[in-house]
Amino acid sequence: QALRQISQRTISTASRRQLENRVSENQKLFQEDNGLPVHLKGGVKDALLYRTTAGLTVCGTICALYYLLVSSLPKKPN
């Protein structure tokens, strides 16, 4: 019983200290009219994530089309 109370108290106080309410900061950032699309307003991290996703999508499409082409051709007899 006492151990449970101590562990709950430790967890609740530690999490309360670490978390801050940053909603208003994020609202200001994302509502700012700076000409950027919303998926790039987060900065360098968002731009890197966007470019990585776009690159992987293009590579995946090219690979899928290549294997579709290869599988649609008849096999050569030995």
Side-chain angles (χ1 to χ4, degrees), residues 12-74:
S12 65
T13 55
S15 64
R16 217 179 300 144
R17 272 184 271 149
Q18 291 175 350
L19 296 178
E20 296 177 23
N21 189 0
R22 296 177 30 191
V23 172
S24 62
E25 294 173 24
N26 287 335
Q27 283 177 340
K28 288 177 188 174
L29 174 70
F30 286 102
Q31 290 177 356
E32 182 180 331
D33 188 17
N34 56 5
L36 288 175
V38 71
H39 61 274
L40 296 177
K41 285 193 177 191
V44 175
K45 188 170 67 170
D46 280 352
L48 183 63
L49 182 62
Y50 174 73
R51 289 186 180 130
T52 303
T53 304
L56 287 172
T57 303
V58 168
C59 289
T61 303
I62 290 171
C63 286
L65 291 175
Y66 171 75
Y67 285 111
L68 184 64
L69 175 69
V70 167
S71 63
S72 67
L73 297 176

